[in-house]
Amino acid sequence: MDLQDAQSWLNEVLNEISIQFQKMPGSAIFLRYVKSSYQNDPVRSAVELFLFLFAVRYLLAPKYSTQRKSYVTLSEEVCQPLAVDFVKPICQQEIDELVEEWTPEPLVAPQTSFEESENEKRPIIVGPTGPKSKLFSNGRTVTNLASYNFYNLVANETLKEKAIQTLRTYGVGPCGPPGFYGTQDVHMKTEADIASYLGVPACIVYAQAFSTISSVIPAFSKRGDIIVADKAVNYSIRKGIQISRSTVRWYEHNDMEDLQRVVEKVIKEQGKKEVTRRFIITEGMFENVGDVVDLRQILELKLRYKFRLILDETWSFGVLGRTGRGVTEQQNVDASQIDMIIGSLAGPLCAGGGFCAGSDEIVEHQRISAAAYTFSAALPAMLATTASEALLMLQTNSDMLTQLRENIKAMWAQLDPRSDWVHSTSSMDNPIMLLVLKPEVIAMKKLSRADQEHLLQDAVDETLANGVLITRLKSMPRAIHATPKDLGWEPQPALKVCMTTGLSRKETERAGIVIRHAITKVVNRRK
């Protein structure tokens, strides 16, 4: 076949292809688009053709290579080469040496000698906790001031009966996340009860108290948003802030002037930049210090500078206020003015889980955006029922709060004004009394932070030896290779004494005397 015949045959083939292509639906439109596109911008046509061919190749390609092996075959041969072309052969002996030399990074820092000693002496309680508990080590019954059983609800027979009835009706747990099939009518009732109790439109209940605030924060605050937070906020708040990846500005603990300075600085830095979400995060009653927030001033700054307010009432809900509604009731603030109120059902209410209360929009957003809600099994029904019943008791039985506050006053009378060595940083309404060494004692004894922890642990041991169980304020252990900059604000070492209505006023006073004498004995023993 000569060149002329070949050209004639090629023209016939192309003509036949053109005829068949024109018979296809939409072919005329496609040709018109290609012609106009090529005339206007031939480079774009070339790029589009390349992307089309790449997409076809990507879709037709296998998900993984079936030809090249990327693993080492272990054998007894002298030298087994890797199948990967660009890696040099490796011998079995070299593999064994590498495995022996490799040391995995530890998940946690090794225990210090102080931590090991503390764990060895840690008391174990036999049976349910209560105002009087039996120790496993020696069978002694001691006064228990180391649990959050403020209203002695653990021993309440009405709550026990309700929990048993719910257990028989609903089983142990829902075995599913709330957004799927985990939500039950008791959960909806508990949410409605909490919302009504606080006087807000809606509420959402989480299965774990700790992860409530650490999920609420990243559900609303994202990268690029601004968070202004108190330096003394608890660990779960810090984890929520870390997860959110937001820009954080810290202000001095409970210092409203410093808060205003930080807020004004944030507003100035923003300037004409794109508007971002801005949050103030604080606690109602601080876990690490024990004092109460000045909510009125924070609310004034929030409204003036247009910030949203996230208030963690984990330790103030069920404790502060005339009926235990928290810091909003205590300081006569309308709870609906707070964007998000977070609380725990596991502390004073002796149930389990946590909640976030606010507007309908705030609550509904969390049902699909809060990790601890969407990816965790729902709260067991018996714990939801227990929480609702405990709230009802607080509303109908004001004597519970009255008796607790009487015991708090009795303990204060024995410790804070009478002790020469410690003073309390807690609020007078806080059933958790935090006792720190006085500054002059620290200076006189030249105590470092580690020295203070050792001394206070000795006080805990001495107190237990005299029949009263208390504990120390514990903070999360330092991360491996953590620098001073990573540590940030740290709470001062303190003793933690938890009051309960399960003891009479006289019993509380006697326990206070034991604690005071134990502290005096330990401090005097140190040269």
Side-chain angles (χ1 to χ4, degrees):
M1 179 182 293
D2 57 11
L3 181 61
Q4 187 175 359
D5 293 337
Q7 289 178 344
S8 176
W9 176 81
L10 182 60
N11 289 334
E12 289 178 2
V13 172
L14 293 175
N15 187 46
E16 183 65 25
I17 292 174
S18 176
I19 293 171
Q20 296 298 326
F21 179 75
Q22 290 175 5
K23 291 180 180 180
M24 295 174 59
S27 58
I29 298 174
F30 177 76
L31 288 173
R32 189 163 58 247
Y33 167 77
V34 171
K35 289 178 180 179
S36 62
S37 173
Y38 179 78
Q39 291 173 358
N40 295 334
D41 190 356
V43 176
R44 190 185 72 174
S45 299
V47 173
E48 288 179 346
L49 177 62
F50 171 77
L51 292 176
F52 173 75
L53 295 176
F54 177 79
V56 171
R57 182 188 180 284
Y58 180 79
L59 292 173
L60 296 179
K63 293 183 179 180
Y64 57 91
S65 174
T66 58
Q67 302 299 325
R68 176 176 292 180
K69 297 180 180 180
S70 58
Y71 56 87
V72 178
T73 303
L74 300 179
S75 68
E76 299 300 328
E77 297 178 9
V78 176
C79 186
Q80 175 65 40
L82 285 172
V84 183
D85 299 337
F86 52 85
V87 179
K88 67 178 182 179
I90 183 169
C91 298
Q92 180 65 41
Q93 182 179 357
E94 291 178 319
I95 295 175
D96 294 338
E97 290 175 355
L98 290 172
V99 171
E100 290 177 2
E101 292 174 1
W102 181 73
T103 303
E105 185 76 14
L107 296 177
V108 295
Q111 284 189 340
T112 63
S113 58
F114 173 63
E115 290 171 337
E116 291 178 353
S117 173
E118 182 185 6
N119 288 334
E120 289 176 0
K121 295 184 292 185
R122 193 180 305 277
I124 300 174
I125 292 175
V126 179
T129 185
K132 299 288 186 179
S133 299
K134 185 178 180 180
L135 298 181
F136 174 78
S137 58
N138 52 22
R140 289 179 59 198
T141 299
V142 296
T143 300
N144 186 355
L145 297 179
S147 72
Y148 304 132
N149 186 26
F150 303 143
Y151 301 111
N152 198 24
L153 295 179
V154 171
N156 189 282
E157 293 300 326
T158 303
L159 288 181
K160 287 182 181 178
E161 292 174 6
K162 288 284 186 180
I164 292 171
Q165 291 174 8
T166 307
L167 178 63
R168 289 172 175 165
T169 304
Y170 295 90
V172 176
C175 300
F180 192 33
Y181 54 84
T183 299
Q184 299 168 319
D185 55 352
V186 288
H187 299 118
M188 300 170 69
K189 181 181 183 303
T190 301
E191 291 176 348
D193 290 343
I194 296 171
S196 174
Y197 183 65
L198 290 174
V200 295
C203 175
I204 181 172
V205 168
Y206 288 74
Q208 304 91 15
F210 179 88
S211 60
T212 301
I213 184 68
S214 58
S215 293
V216 170
I217 293 172
F220 292 94
S221 185
K222 310 293 183 181
R223 187 191 297 271
D225 295 334
I226 306 294
I227 290 177
V228 178
D230 191 299
K231 283 186 175 181
V233 292
N234 59 50
Y235 183 72
S236 56
I237 292 179
R238 291 178 178 272
K239 294 307 294 182
I241 293 173
Q242 180 186 13
I243 294 169
S244 73
R245 298 179 295 179
S246 302
T247 302
V248 189
R249 298 287 184 267
W250 302 97
Y251 66 93
E252 295 300 325
H253 172 58
N254 241 352
D255 187 336
M256 295 301 104
E257 291 183 1
D258 192 51
L259 171 59
Q260 183 172 355
R261 179 190 63 80
V262 173
V263 166
E264 289 176 347
K265 184 178 179 181
V266 168
I267 297 296
K268 186 177 180 180
E269 289 175 351
Q270 290 282 291
K272 296 182 180 179
K273 295 180 182 178
E274 184 180 354
V275 177
T276 60
R277 289 175 290 246
R278 301 188 294 254
F279 300 87
I280 297 174
I281 301 179
T282 186
E283 291 184 74
M285 191 155 62
F286 289 87
E287 176 182 345
N288 293 320
V289 185
D291 55 352
V292 177
V293 70
D294 188 344
L295 188 58
R296 284 187 165 277
Q297 266 197 278
I298 287 187
L299 193 59
E300 180 185 340
L301 294 173
K302 155 193 152 49
L303 296 173
R304 186 194 307 172
Y305 296 102
K306 296 180 175 59
F307 275 68
R308 294 177 175 89
L309 177 58
I310 300 179
L311 178 65
D312 185 2
E313 290 218 62
T314 295
W315 302 105
S316 53
F317 179 75
V319 171
L320 298 183
R322 185 178 59 85
T323 58
R325 285 175 168 83
V327 70
T328 53
E329 184 181 43
Q330 184 203 44
Q331 300 186 15
N332 196 25
V333 172
D334 185 0
S336 61
Q337 291 185 292
I338 313 299
D339 297 282
M340 283 160 265
I341 298 177
I342 289 86
S344 170
L345 305 176
L349 303 187
C350 289
F355 69 87
C356 177
S359 65
D360 292 315
E361 294 79 9
I362 289 290
V363 167
E364 291 306 314
H365 175 75
Q366 294 175 64
R367 296 196 190 277
I368 58 172
S369 300
Y373 185 84
T374 55
F375 300 114
S376 295
L379 183 71
M382 61 179 176
L383 295 181
T385 300
T386 301
S388 291
E389 291 297 321
L391 285 179
L392 182 61
M393 289 180 179
L394 286 175
Q395 294 177 78
T396 57
N397 186 3
S398 59
D399 291 342
M400 293 170 59
L401 287 146
T402 302
Q403 185 181 353
L404 180 62
R405 286 164 188 166
E406 288 297 322
N407 284 356
I408 294 173
K409 290 178 183 178
M411 185 62 74
W412 268 80
Q414 295 301 323
L415 290 177
D416 195 309
R418 295 192 178 184
S419 176
D420 297 327
W421 314 109
V422 296
H423 72 96
S424 177
T425 59
S426 299
S427 164
M428 283 289 292
D429 292 327
N430 190 348
I432 303 174
M433 194 173 185
L434 298 181
L435 300 169
V436 301
L437 293 168
K438 292 181 177 180
E440 56 268 28
V441 175
I442 297 175
M444 179 180 65
K445 299 285 185 179
K446 298 180 181 179
L447 300 174
S448 65
R449 181 182 179 84
D451 292 335
Q452 294 176 57
E453 291 178 345
H454 282 79
L455 190 147
L456 294 177
Q457 183 59 44
D458 290 342
V460 170
D461 297 338
E462 181 65 28
T463 304
L464 181 61
N466 288 277
V468 177
L469 175 61
I470 61 173
T471 185
R472 290 188 300 113
L473 175 66
K474 305 291 180 66
S475 58
M476 291 302 295
R478 299 180 178 183
I480 302 174
H481 309 312
T483 63
K485 183 179 179 181
D486 298 328
L487 297 176
W489 185 91
E490 288 187 285
Q492 184 178 351
L495 295 175
K496 182 186 284 189
V497 182
C498 302
M499 262 59 76
T500 176
T501 58
L503 299 174
S504 66
R505 183 182 179 89
K506 289 291 185 183
E507 289 174 319
T508 302
E509 289 176 347
R510 284 198 295 269
I513 294 171
V514 170
I515 296 170
R516 187 177 78 243
H517 289 171
I519 294 171
T520 301
K521 181 177 179 179
V522 168
V523 174
N524 286 333
R525 196 164 57 200
R526 184 181 179 88
K527 301 301 181 182

